[in-house]
Amino acid sequence: MIRLPLAIALGISLCGVAHAASTWTGGDDLPTNPLACDNTPATVAAKPYNGASVTGAPDRKGKTLTVVDVPKLIGIGYFNATSKGMADAAKELGNVNVKTDGPTKANIDDQITFIDNYITSGVDGILFAANDPVAIAPVLKKALGKGINVVGYDSDATPDARQWFVNQAQSNGIAKSLIDNMAKEVGEEAGVAIVTSTFTTPNQARWISEMGAYAAKCHPKLKFLETVEAQEDNTLSFTQATTLINKYGSDLKGIFGMTSVATPASAEAVTQAGQCGKIAVIGLATPNAMKPYVAKDCVKSVVLWNPVDLGYAATYVLRAVTDGTLKPGDTSVKAGKLGDLQVINGSEILLGAPFVFTKDNIEKFDF
Amino acid sequence: MNWRSLVRHETILALLVVVTLVLLAQRSDRFLTLDNLLNQGRLMAEVGMIALAMTFVIVTGGIDLSVGSIVGMVSIVLGVFWHDVGLALPVAIVLALLVGTLGGTVNGLIITYFKVPPLIATLATLALYRGLAEGISQARSVRGYPDWFFVFGQGQILDVPVQIWIMVVGAIVAACILGLTVFGRTTYAIGSNEIAARFSGLAVDRTKILIYSASGLCAAVAAVVFVSRVTTTRSDMGTGWELDAITAVVLGGTSIFGGRGTIVGTALGLILMQALKNGLLLAGYKGDSTIVVIGAALILTVLLSNLSHRGRET
């Protein structure tokens, strides 16, 4: 009598495992828009504003704002850098108090609870980086309904759940930068693997989809061996990268790190495996974490934007929204020392093109 | 009835809850508002439902580490049945609840028939069920549920969120079963002395299997409510909830060695945890300090309880 349920359970598990072994790209299902193979800039079509509006907001023009910043998680270099940018902007503006608080793990549930509690505590504005674009939407809509201004950065929610989103770089630009640099280092015919956070994290999934589309268009012989999940966890990223190196041996020529945690951990895995120079590591990471590997020539290019500028811009955008100087339909916004930032896709503000750190310039950055 | 019988864990905890509520209310005028309290009830309902069944599990001297993974698995299965297989959503919900219950039953069978310690059995299924959730979902989220489905996670009946009703009814049922029935007494007997319970002719294995199945069912109900609350399905849903539920149960005075514990205690433990998380944040403390305070509260209440318990035995 007990055999049957166990057999069923085992059967289901085996099906699940077999299912899991099929192609697993880690991308999302949204349409892709790969850039041209040369450096022709993309044409940006003007779209009407598609963000949300806030209801019952008091007049906050010029008044001191209490703002909470809820990133995906706290305690990692990347979000420490965005917090620093926010503090810089708040100091410059003089009438914004911004506090960063959030979960210690990139967890949808905890992030939602944090935002919910800050709505109750009565803040004027919320800055967020979403762990899931849809899961976070109900609580952000609640904030908008209570007259709180909501601006996203780094990782977006659905447009109807926030007023504006500060986009660090367009996904197709990131994809192009990563793939072009990889092809330059490992050649056109090579096996590559990806270490990402989780398959459901919106921006990583978006980049991976765009990478696939761009590679298919411009570097069709690049072979994607596998995409592995490593949360935003240092130890797990290292283990996953090591597993990839052992599993694929000489077939593996390059590893993409999709998070600021996965990239240095992958570089460390390659270093410890004695594969420096044989396996290239290219990814998104903060310069401080990558300096040792760049100095040893183990990593040649690190792709990123400046997260300090990202936090800085998000704070200026929130101030502009509450002051009424950034309205639906505007095409640019002033962001302090960053100058005028362009509005794209209806309700996104573009920070700029992705930046490639190399041995020549990495020492100039400290974050 | 002497004064010693009043010095129970639940009494100490209830006093602690009252003191905490008063202190927190003084630090923020937004804390003791009906709006906030109902909202907090909404946020703690999912872990609360899991903690009810977890009380039974721990009273038998067992543990169920797989509940968080069952939440993930049930969410995914719900999404797959509805979106990919194309079943009507109510049918998908019922099937998903059955899958969760089956997950719990498997735990119970491994523990009773193969004599695998609960810690190890559910540690294994923690990995297994999470793996299934990720494998089946292929990392794809299921979204776009119809509006009526959001009733469970976002709706209200008589101005009280639906999930609070579910949790309260669940708590009353659980308290009656544990406190008033033969099944409840069997549960305590297993936790106090399993061998003696067997010799007394109690249906030890059947009781344990039922309890682990109920644990799976409660996790499945929590999963449906959670999917409805966040309007999407992800394979990492419920990660770490097993620890939140165990914390609430232990904080509520249930002995990890079995034989002792009540639903009232668990409810108080849940309230204390949620009040600290919410109240400290409203009072202006950051999230990391609340974790420290909850850890300290856990040690403090368990110490106090042990002192009073020892006092009664001597």
Side-chain angles (χ1 to χ4, degrees):
Chain A
M1 169 220 143
I2 55 152
R3 298 272 154 77
L4 188 64
L6 280 181
I8 293 170
L10 195 64
I12 297 174
S13 349
L14 289 178
C15 292
V17 172
H19 206 40
S22 57
T23 20
W24 204 354
T25 63
D28 56 21
D29 292 325
L30 302 172
T32 52
N33 180 25
L35 291 174
C37 299
D38 53 14
N39 280 326
T40 321
T43 46
V44 181
K47 277 208 286 188
Y49 179 77
N50 63 350
S53 53
V54 60
T55 49
D59 182 16
R60 298 189 170 111
K61 195 172 166 61
K63 298 206 177 101
T64 301
L65 301 178
T66 309
V67 176
V68 63
D69 158 42
V70 186
K72 287 187 194 172
L73 75 169
I74 55 167
I76 64 167
Y78 181 82
F79 285 115
N80 289 345
T82 54
S83 299
K84 182 179 180 296
M86 288 171 194
D88 291 350
K91 203 170 156 194
E92 253 177 59
L93 288 161
N95 54 5
V96 177
N97 293 321
V98 55
K99 170 164 94 169
T100 298
D101 198 3
T104 48
K105 288 212 163 100
N107 178 324
I108 53 166
D109 187 30
D110 287 349
Q111 186 177 38
I112 292 165
T113 309
F114 268 100
I115 295 174
D116 210 324
N117 281 328
Y118 276 106
I119 294 172
T120 310
S121 79
V123 292
D124 299 303
I126 293 173
L127 294 167
F128 71 89
N131 281 312
D132 182 291
V134 174
I136 202 174
V139 74
L140 293 181
K141 284 181 190 159
K142 178 175 167 184
L144 289 165
K146 299 213 173 208
I148 298 171
N149 293 103
V150 179
V151 170
Y153 66 96
D154 180 68
S155 177
D156 202 2
T158 51
D160 62 347
R162 46 81 181 150
Q163 291 175 281
W164 297 89
F165 171 65
V166 184
N167 197 340
Q168 53 272 35
Q170 284 179 287
S171 331
N172 51 9
I174 303 242
K176 177 180 167 61
S177 194
L178 287 169
I179 298 283
D180 280 348
N181 278 296
M182 181 60 90
K184 202 164 76 190
E185 281 191 43
V186 301
E188 293 293 338
E189 288 183 51
V192 293
I194 301 174
V195 182
T196 187
S197 51
T198 67
F199 294 129
T200 44
T201 313
N203 40 4
Q204 270 87 9
R206 198 79 277 283
W207 298 330
I208 291 172
S209 290
E210 289 287 357
M211 283 162 70
Y214 179 76
K217 180 175 166 187
C218 301
H219 303 280
K221 289 184 177 159
L222 220 50
K223 186 163 178 264
F224 286 88
L225 298 170
E226 193 175 350
T227 304
V228 292
E229 286 184 299
Q231 316 293 339
E232 301 246 353
D233 183 313
N234 204 5
T235 319
L236 188 58
S237 302
F238 176 83
T239 314
Q240 292 285 48
T242 307
T243 311
L244 287 172
I245 295 167
N246 294 339
K247 183 170 169 189
Y248 292 103
S250 57
D251 289 342
L252 181 70
K253 298 283 186 239
I255 298 177
F256 290 106
M258 301 310 295
T259 74
S260 61
V261 180
T263 311
S266 301
E268 183 61 34
V270 169
T271 308
Q272 290 194 14
Q275 297 287 325
C276 268
K278 296 192 191 95
I279 298 176
V281 175
I282 290 178
L284 303 152
T286 52
N288 280 352
M290 296 307 289
K291 277 175 191 168
Y293 307 108
V294 173
K296 279 185 288 189
D297 263 337
C298 207
V299 171
K300 294 205 175 61
S301 31
V302 179
V303 178
L304 199 71
W305 47 92
N306 186 331
V308 180
D309 286 351
L310 180 62
Y312 180 92
T315 312
Y316 266 90
V317 167
L318 185 64
R319 184 73 252 183
V321 173
T322 52
D323 285 349
T325 50
L326 173 60
K327 299 176 299 295
D330 288 352
T331 54
S332 72
V333 58
K334 283 197 192 332
K337 63 176 182 190
L338 299 176
D340 284 335
L341 298 180
Q342 192 195 352
V343 172
I344 56 166
N345 282 337
S347 57
E348 294 177 16
I349 288 145
L350 183 62
L351 189 65
F355 188 83
V356 181
F357 299 96
T358 62
K359 203 172 185 179
D360 299 329
N361 63 22
I362 199 164
E363 287 300 330
K364 287 182 221 154
F365 296 90
D366 183 24
F367 59 85
Chain B
M1 175 115 179
N2 59 24
W3 67 272
R4 275 195 188 282
S5 64
L6 284 175
V7 193
R8 298 174 49 124
H9 185 98
E10 285 80 3
T11 326
I12 298 170
L13 193 61
L15 284 173
L16 197 65
V17 169
V18 171
V19 171
T20 308
L21 291 179
V22 170
L23 284 177
L24 290 172
Q26 282 174 341
R27 301 301 299 265
S28 165
D29 55 357
R30 291 170 196 263
F31 178 67
L32 269 191
T33 58
L34 189 62
D35 219 22
N36 185 42
L37 294 183
L38 288 178
N39 194 33
Q40 293 311 312
R42 205 168 71 85
L43 295 177
M44 75 181 206
E46 294 115 8
V47 169
M49 286 173 225
I50 294 174
L52 294 177
M54 187 70 82
T55 311
F56 284 76
V57 171
I58 297 182
V59 165
T60 65
I63 195 115
D64 189 349
L65 298 178
S66 71
V67 283
S69 296
I70 292 182
V71 170
M73 181 172 71
V74 170
S75 321
I76 290 300
V77 162
L78 171 67
V80 166
F81 282 154
W82 172 66
H83 186 264
D84 300 349
V85 182
L87 298 174
L89 191 49
V91 180
I93 293 174
V94 172
L95 284 178
L97 293 179
L98 282 176
V99 168
T101 314
L102 180 70
T105 313
V106 170
N107 283 338
L109 289 172
I110 298 174
I111 290 163
T112 51
Y113 282 85
F114 296 101
K115 310 272 186 269
V116 179
L119 182 78
I120 296 165
T122 56
L123 191 61
T125 50
L126 171 138
L128 177 70
Y129 297 152
R130 182 70 65 195
L132 283 174
E134 298 199 337
I136 295 168
S137 73
Q138 292 281 287
R140 300 281 189 265
S141 297
V142 175
R143 289 158 185 171
Y145 292 95
D147 282 345
W148 68 261
F149 177 64
F150 299 138
V151 164
F152 302 112
Q154 300 171 46
Q156 297 185 327
I157 299 173
L158 303 174
D159 287 337
V160 173
V162 171
Q163 61 263 61
I164 297 187
W165 287 109
I166 302 177
M167 180 175 56
V168 168
V169 170
I172 293 170
V173 170
C176 291
I177 294 175
L178 188 60
L180 304 174
T181 65
V182 176
F183 187 85
R185 284 198 294 282
T186 312
T187 307
Y188 283 114
I190 295 171
S192 301
N193 189 337
E194 189 174 328
I195 296 167
R198 277 186 203 282
F199 279 122
S200 315
L202 295 173
V204 172
D205 287 348
R206 199 184 65 197
T207 307
K208 277 191 178 177
I209 292 171
L210 279 171
I211 287 174
Y212 283 96
S213 302
S215 183
L217 175 63
C218 284
V221 174
V224 173
V225 169
F226 189 57
V227 170
S228 165
R229 174 154 75 87
V230 302
T231 71
T232 181
T233 296
R234 290 170 52 117
S235 57
D236 63 350
M237 279 177 156
T239 311
W241 284 9
E242 61 281 347
L243 293 184
D244 284 349
I246 293 168
T247 307
V249 172
V250 175
L251 196 56
T254 301
S255 166
I256 205 82
F257 304 111
R260 187 158 59 94
T262 58
I263 295 291
V264 175
T266 298
L268 287 169
L270 276 168
I271 291 169
L272 183 61
M273 258 172 71
Q274 195 68 26
L276 284 173
K277 275 189 199 168
N278 168 242
L280 287 174
L281 207 134
L282 292 187
Y285 296 96
K286 281 199 173 190
D288 28 14
S289 56
T290 57
I291 311 172
V292 175
V293 174
I294 289 173
L298 184 61
I299 293 176
L300 185 75
T301 48
V302 170
L303 277 181
L304 284 173
S305 159
N306 278 359
L307 284 178
S308 72
H309 196 65
R310 207 175 296 157
R312 258 183 307 175
E313 278 172 355
T314 49

